[in-house]
Amino acid sequence: MTGVTRRGFVAGTSAAVAAGWLSGAAGTAWADTGTPPPDEDGSRLWLRYPLVADRRLLDEYRRDLRYVVAPDTDGPLGSAAGELSRALTSLLGRDVPIRRKVDGAGPLVLRTAASDAGPESYTLRRGRVDGTAAVIITGGADRGALYGAFHLLRLVQTHVTLDRLDVAERPRNPLRLANHWDNLDGSVERGYAGRSVFGFAELPELTERHSTYARALASVGLNGTVINNVNANAQFIAPEMLFKLQPLAALLRGWGISLYLSLNFASPMILGGLTTADPFDAGVKDWWRTKITEIYRAIPDLGGFLVKADSEGQPGPISYGRTHADGANLIAEAAAPHGGIVMWRAFVHDFNALEWSNKAYETFKPLDGKFADNAIVQIKNGPIDFQVREPAHPLFGALPNTNAMMELQVTQEYTGQSTHLCYLVPQWQEVYGFDTHAEGSGTTVAKIISGRTYGRELGGVAGVMNLGDDTDWTRHQLAAANTHGYGRLAWNPGLKARDIAEEWTRQTFGNDQREVAVITGLLLGSWQTYLDYTNPLGVSFLIKGDHFTPSPQTNTGWHQADAEGTGFDRTVATGNGFTGFYHRPVSDRFENLSDCPDELLLFLHHVPYGHRLKSGKTVIQHVYDSHFDGAAEVGRMRDRWRELRGRIDAKRWADTAERFDRHREQAILWRDTIAGYYFAASRVLDERRSWVQVTPTGNAAICLIGGRENLVRLSLANASAAEAELVAGLPERDGWTSGTAGLVLPSKGDGTVDVPVTPSLPPQVLTLRPTLRSGDLPALIAEQPVITAPAGEHCLLAVDAGSASSPLLDGYRRLSPADAWADGAAYGWVGGAPQSRDRNIAAPLLRDFVNDTRARALRLTVPAGDHELHVLVGDVHDSFPTTVKVDGKVAAVSEFLLGGSFTWLNFAVPGGRTVELEFSSVPGQHWHLNGLVILS
Ligand code: GCU
């Protein structure tokens, strides 16, 4: 990219301002005058078209791009012409109209011509049209022309001269899709930027946001979008919904984007009233054939379908004794006459750490060659679930006779959500570039999924999106770089991360050299930094159920840290056999400790803390160093952003500065939690640092009683070479009162203290951040998850649900399966009793619960007046969502909770009568009920 100085030029002409959608002038000019550019809200993403601030380039562009020549047509070619005209008018600060033919100097000619490189290819060249020198965009077909138009705009936005214009491009992947995990109610599973961008409830009405969405996808070459969650609601293919989706499909079509839908495999039962969803049942086949025909009547160019089956509680073919291929082929066959495809997800697993890495491979490998031609297996980048680092999925290169595509996660479920900056392009490139050796050296994942390795027409990539209805789309302004980078890599995985990051920065913020250098640097280093202070050496799942908060206690099975060592043995020789799924020499490299790459060491091997890495450090010292260095680096990232103050518009600068403040806090929490955990486990002192630390006592949340004094037990340890005196305390927050407790510990010693605390009354789920003082020694502080339950004497209703005999929380009444409803009772089951479980942990309210896979109803006498009912849900094991209905209407649904997490569901109930509470979960899974409370 050419760097040009634009000193002394102050941007902003009346023509540019009059263009209306102009988003402020370029950075340098403003920075040089010391005044920040006008505020922006991020809503235009990288499709900002501010006046070109470089005088020389502006003159050049104005000379060569006077008007657009394009046929009078709609569809992608028409969209391309419109985008060029509007964008150039804004970028060049004067009207760039659309004409039908060349008439005068400076035409930008947009046209199509069939090409060997395919309909999505394009060239950008200089040439003569009707005797006039012209800049010519030639698309292999309409979509190609659209992508060419966006390429030209990129050049202008990033200040590249068009002097020697000679571009020939074609996409490497046939399918380049966005996957949205958006629900019918507007919520977004693993969405961290607000609610769904589609506004399902308001459809068929469309807004400007829908257009911006489509333009943004098209601008980076994406050609399809699956608009609803893989945990699919069957209503998406109900007739009313199809009607509502038509205008959206039409809008997307105009930008070269095909609409796809996620299907619920049990739709024939849910929508059709059939008694089975068995793929071999003639009625089921008929139902799908008719339904899919109806869908294509509504949306004739629908791309096809995505299915998550027999995974995490979703229905599928396995329950009927059929295979995943049978399931996929059922849909594929019905879609084939309409030119549709089915993407069938390979994400099947047990919630069991031992099995998880192996299940998808073991399930799908034997099915190779059994899938229909219009079916494609969609495989996550790694064998687990979008962890910070995983080896490439062993299914890549294991299915030579099956169409395969890759699924990446753009939304940062496990990589800091919208709080941490984590630019994932380097992570994705590592996977694309992974050499499977399936057909000899050079059989990269990129090559396999493009279809080239096995000569398959279908192939490509899907990215689980990070967009929401927040004004800036991604909540963290810099997270939109992931959206952009995903698309650019889908187009060409061979692009350089630096170039992609720089391009996005210039488009999004401006061409000021300093700004570009700082932001590009922040993006490029951020994944490695995130790895450093979170999950070193390939360990995964060091988090709580929110997939955000550090908690190595929650899922110890994944890192297997004990007194001697850590890591997950996935070798053939002594572990779960996973390394054997790879082709040679990859399998050997992974199997042999001495060859195993450091960055995957703990993913593949269990090693002693003193094991030496290739870097020469021991594993434990690496854990300490990477966490301290990583967290310190986040502090420097924050400072580098702060130095940009005044160069970037105040609004986006301040929004992002706030994100960096939170990012830094969280990085320190990660550092303290993980370094502290590993010291507590290993008792190996850090060679470079000394500290004292406080860690939670167990892996589950503790339960405190609101409105009474409790003692909170904290584990303290001395990670210094000398004896130390430690004083621990708890914060006084929102009406809480607390004290302190102290302890003297020898070097490497540990012990517990009981700190008094009186929480406020209302039920809460929160984390307590203890304090710790010990002279001048720094303190590592891990947070303690806490559930509070109001003292029974302050409640109208205080119920501890569970078995008929386990201990009750003081002041709470028992609810067990034995409590059947009787007239005049306070509560009781109607229409059948549920089950119960007792996990035998310390906290009476948390240790047991009532549960069932069937929906069960509890009748409850609610005292007069309006009340809020609080329902406690959770388990020491993972729990699927619990849905609570009040008199038949859904009042609350809990999220999927990983083991040891609990949540209070709060909702209003009418008083002065009985209400019927119905508890249910997803099919085949248990709902949970641990407690019920109404405050007085
Ligand atoms: C992850 C994620 C779920 C999602 C699942 C999937 O486990 O946490 O929310 O449904 O992946 O990809 O199907």
Side-chain angles (χ1 to χ4, degrees):
M1 244 157 245
T2 30
V4 261
T5 30
R6 279 157 277 101
R7 255 166 210 294
F9 178 76
V10 177
T13 69
S14 52
V17 173
W21 56 319
L22 171 64
S23 52
T28 314
W30 296 98
D32 285 352
T33 61
T35 326
D39 276 354
E40 292 191 42
D41 58 13
S43 61
R44 293 181 185 86
L45 292 165
W46 53 90
L47 302 177
R48 299 159 62 257
Y49 300 122
L51 184 71
V52 173
D54 180 286
R55 191 78 235 187
R56 192 181 54 77
L57 277 171
L58 182 64
D59 288 347
E60 178 198 311
Y61 298 147
R62 282 181 170 174
R63 185 190 66 219
D64 292 343
L65 308 169
R66 286 174 193 262
Y67 61 99
V68 177
V69 179
D72 185 8
T73 165
D74 48 15
L77 196 59
S79 303
E83 185 82 12
L84 284 171
S85 165
R86 286 189 307 270
L88 290 171
T89 296
S90 179
L91 283 159
L92 308 188
R94 66 183 194 193
D95 195 29
V96 178
I98 304 176
R99 298 194 186 143
R100 297 299 162 220
K101 57 182 179 41
V102 171
D103 96 42
L108 168 59
V109 176
L110 186 62
R111 65 185 188 191
T112 58
S115 153
D116 290 346
E120 296 189 308
S121 70
Y122 60 86
T123 59
L124 305 185
R125 299 223 159 96
R126 287 176 166 280
R128 300 195 86 78
V129 176
D130 298 340
T132 305
V135 171
I136 310 164
I137 302 173
T138 312
D142 283 20
R143 267 187 189 166
L146 178 63
Y147 301 142
F150 276 114
H151 191 133
L152 185 101
L153 290 175
R154 267 200 300 273
L155 297 178
V156 177
Q157 283 176 291
T158 58
H159 290 191
V160 177
T161 172
L162 307 180
D163 262 358
R164 281 173 298 278
L165 189 63
D166 186 13
V167 173
E169 281 278 344
R170 69 185 162 78
R172 300 301 188 278
N173 288 302
L175 292 170
R176 304 179 302 280
L177 306 191
N179 279 188
H180 293 267
W181 287 356
D182 294 13
N183 298 317
L184 200 53
D185 67 2
S187 61
V188 181
E189 182 156 337
R190 311 303 175 186
Y192 310 105
R195 294 168 61 76
S196 172
V197 294
F198 297 112
F200 294 128
E202 287 77 38
L203 290 178
E205 200 181 304
L206 297 176
T207 69
E208 194 56 38
R209 289 279 284 196
H210 290 101
S211 304
T212 308
Y213 166 81
R215 290 168 53 231
L217 260 57
S219 74
V220 289
L222 296 181
N223 62 4
T225 180
V226 186
I227 57 167
N228 63 314
N229 192 355
V230 287
N231 296 319
N233 186 326
Q235 298 307 326
F236 270 93
I237 53 169
E240 319 76 80
M241 196 61 198
L242 296 175
F243 163 76
K244 289 174 80 161
L245 290 175
Q246 280 175 324
L248 177 63
L251 182 146
L252 294 169
R253 185 179 304 136
W255 294 94
I257 299 162
S258 305
L259 183 89
Y260 295 77
L261 292 169
S262 292
L263 295 179
N264 184 307
F265 195 77
S267 297
M269 302 166 78
I270 302 167
L271 296 177
L274 304 193
T275 53
T276 176
D278 181 351
F280 286 6
D281 181 272
V284 169
K285 285 188 182 188
D286 258 7
W287 189 88
W288 278 114
R289 217 174 292 128
T290 311
K291 174 48 82 176
I292 290 181
T293 305
E294 176 195 334
I295 297 173
Y296 274 91
R297 244 198 319 270
I299 307 170
D301 59 345
L302 185 96
F305 306 99
L306 173 63
V307 185
K308 169 176 178 177
D310 291 303
S311 166
E312 301 186 335
Q314 291 302 313
I318 305 293
S319 23
Y320 305 100
R322 316 298 180 201
T323 68
H324 281 273
D326 298 332
N329 294 346
L330 165 75
I331 310 294
E333 212 172 283
H338 310 283
I341 63 164
V342 60
M343 295 167 285
W344 192 269
R345 295 178 89 225
F347 181 65
V348 295
H349 63 87
D350 288 331
F351 277 105
N352 164 343
L354 255 182
E355 299 304 326
W356 193 318
S357 59
N358 298 9
K359 179 87 180 262
Y361 182 92
E362 285 168 347
T363 308
F364 281 79
K365 173 74 189 159
L367 300 178
D368 184 33
K370 301 216 162 75
F371 287 86
D373 283 346
N374 61 330
I376 178 164
V377 177
Q378 180 165 317
I379 306 164
K380 286 191 182 182
N381 60 282
I384 307 294
D385 186 15
F386 303 133
Q387 298 303 295
V388 199
R389 180 178 247 132
E390 297 182 33
H393 205 300
L395 274 175
F396 296 120
L399 305 173
N401 304 301
T402 304
N403 299 318
M405 66 191 287
M406 175 158 69
E407 180 176 315
L408 299 172
Q409 201 181 42
V410 187
T411 190
Q412 295 169 235
E413 175 179 357
Y414 296 97
T415 50
Q417 301 180 2
S418 45
T419 299
H420 300 238
L421 174 65
C422 188
Y423 184 55
L424 291 166
V425 165
Q427 186 207 50
W428 299 330
Q429 271 191 320
E430 185 173 289
V431 191
Y432 276 116
F434 181 86
D435 191 348
T436 66
H437 288 263
E439 300 295 322
S441 119
T443 321
T444 59
V445 169
K447 204 164 162 194
I448 292 167
I449 61 160
S450 73
R452 276 178 294 151
T453 301
Y454 299 114
R456 312 200 69 87
E457 261 170 47
L458 272 184
V461 55
V464 181
M465 281 290 127
N466 59 348
L467 304 176
D469 72 351
D470 276 13
T471 305
D472 62 17
W473 298 87
T474 51
R475 189 151 307 175
H476 194 314
Q477 301 268 3
L478 303 187
N482 279 329
T483 329
H484 167 271
Y486 163 71
R488 299 289 284 130
L489 275 188
W491 179 271
N492 180 5
L495 292 174
K496 291 199 173 60
R498 172 166 295 281
D499 292 344
I500 302 177
E502 180 171 335
E503 169 188 300
W504 175 82
T505 305
R506 288 176 181 270
Q507 291 179 291
T508 304
F509 287 103
N511 288 283
D512 169 49
Q513 290 299 337
R514 171 90 179 284
E515 205 174 308
V516 171
V518 169
I519 298 175
T520 306
L522 286 171
L523 292 173
L524 290 173
S526 57
W527 174 52
Q528 183 58 53
T529 302
Y530 186 81
L531 274 161
D532 287 344
Y533 65 78
T534 60
N535 297 28
L537 306 172
V539 204
S540 43
F541 273 114
L542 294 174
I543 24 98
K544 281 222 298 215
D546 58 3
H547 295 180
F548 179 78
T549 312
S551 179
Q553 295 84 357
T554 303
N555 299 289
T556 51
W558 290 90
H559 55 71
Q560 313 227 340
D562 55 25
E564 316 306 324
T566 183
F568 200 120
D569 186 351
R570 292 193 167 95
T571 63
V572 173
T574 51
N576 72 357
F578 169 79
T579 58
F581 300 158
Y582 291 88
H583 297 269
R584 284 222 151 98
V586 182
S587 52
D588 293 340
R589 185 152 42 91
F590 284 178
E591 175 79 9
N592 299 325
L593 190 55
S594 52
D595 296 337
C596 181
D598 282 352
E599 67 271 13
L600 288 173
L601 184 74
L602 301 183
F603 190 93
L604 299 168
H605 294 270
H606 185 86
V607 296
Y609 291 115
H611 175 83
R612 292 239 169 242
L613 299 173
K614 300 202 169 48
S615 67
K617 278 185 194 176
T618 61
V619 164
I620 191 72
Q621 192 58 38
H622 178 91
V623 169
Y624 295 145
D625 286 348
S626 57
H627 282 85
F628 278 90
D629 295 348
E633 176 58 18
V634 175
R636 288 191 291 272
M637 288 163 72
R638 183 186 76 140
D639 295 344
R640 270 180 265 147
W641 179 263
R642 290 178 158 238
E643 284 162 19
L644 294 179
R645 182 174 203 152
R647 288 182 172 262
I648 291 170
D649 61 280
K651 165 125 183 55
R652 287 192 298 170
W653 180 84
D655 284 357
T656 309
E658 181 273 339
R659 294 281 90 182
F660 274 116
D661 287 347
R662 289 208 51 212
H663 182 174
R664 184 167 161 271
E665 271 165 36
Q666 290 297 317
I668 290 170
L669 179 63
W670 269 98
R671 177 196 73 190
D672 288 7
T673 307
I674 306 298
Y677 183 80
Y678 271 102
F679 173 72
S682 70
R683 294 312 153 99
V684 180
L685 289 178
D686 183 333
E687 292 163 8
R688 293 171 52 194
R689 310 163 188 88
S690 295
W691 66 78
V692 289
Q693 64 181 48
V694 50
T695 49
T697 40
N699 71 346
I702 58 169
C703 184
L704 302 180
I705 301 182
R708 286 198 205 153
E709 185 176 281
N710 304 252
L711 291 176
V712 173
R713 179 149 296 182
L714 298 175
S715 297
L716 310 183
N718 175 8
S720 78
E723 184 182 87
E725 189 181 340
L726 289 70
V727 178
L730 288 168
E732 307 240 315
R733 44 178 296 159
D734 326 323
W736 291 43
T737 53
S738 62
T740 59
L743 195 64
V744 176
L745 289 175
S747 167
K748 298 202 219 177
D750 68 347
T752 58
V753 289
D754 291 327
V755 180
V757 60
T758 306
S760 55
L761 202 54
Q764 296 173 64
V765 176
L766 67 150
T767 41
L768 279 186
R769 191 169 168 76
T771 57
L772 183 63
R773 285 193 314 274
S774 181
D776 290 338
L777 279 174
L780 305 196
I781 313 271
E783 296 180 347
Q784 169 71 61
V786 170
I787 309 295
T788 73
E793 61 270 23
H794 297 300
C795 298
L796 291 177
L797 177 79
V799 172
D800 179 347
S803 78
S805 57
S806 57
L808 288 179
L809 180 61
D810 180 38
Y812 276 54
R813 292 178 59 181
R814 187 183 305 281
L815 166 64
S816 80
D819 295 301
W821 173 258
D823 276 347
Y827 47 77
W829 302 103
V830 285
Q835 314 171 31
S836 71
R837 298 280 188 278
D838 184 359
R839 305 294 191 207
N840 220 359
I841 55 169
L845 191 59
L846 307 183
R847 64 178 274 165
D848 61 335
F849 49 85
V850 288
N851 62 299
D852 216 325
T853 50
R854 295 181 50 178
R856 296 291 183 188
L858 180 75
R859 191 167 294 157
L860 181 70
T861 305
V862 183
D866 292 334
H867 298 290
E868 194 171 18
L869 183 66
H870 307 277
V871 174
L872 183 67
V873 170
D875 188 0
V876 298
H877 300 311
D878 296 336
S879 38
F880 279 84
T882 294
T883 299
V884 189
K885 288 184 182 167
V886 177
D887 295 335
K889 283 181 63 184
V890 175
V893 187
S894 65
E895 291 199 352
F896 178 88
L897 297 168
L898 274 179
S901 323
F902 295 81
T903 191
W904 283 104
L905 302 174
N906 309 311
F907 49 88
V909 280
R913 64 178 179 88
T914 61
V915 296
E916 204 117 314
L917 301 177
E918 189 203 85
F919 299 90
S920 62
S921 184
V922 294
Q925 301 298 334
H926 288 272
W927 52 266
H928 295 73
L929 168 63
N930 308 59
L932 284 172
V933 165
I934 295 176
L935 284 169
S936 359

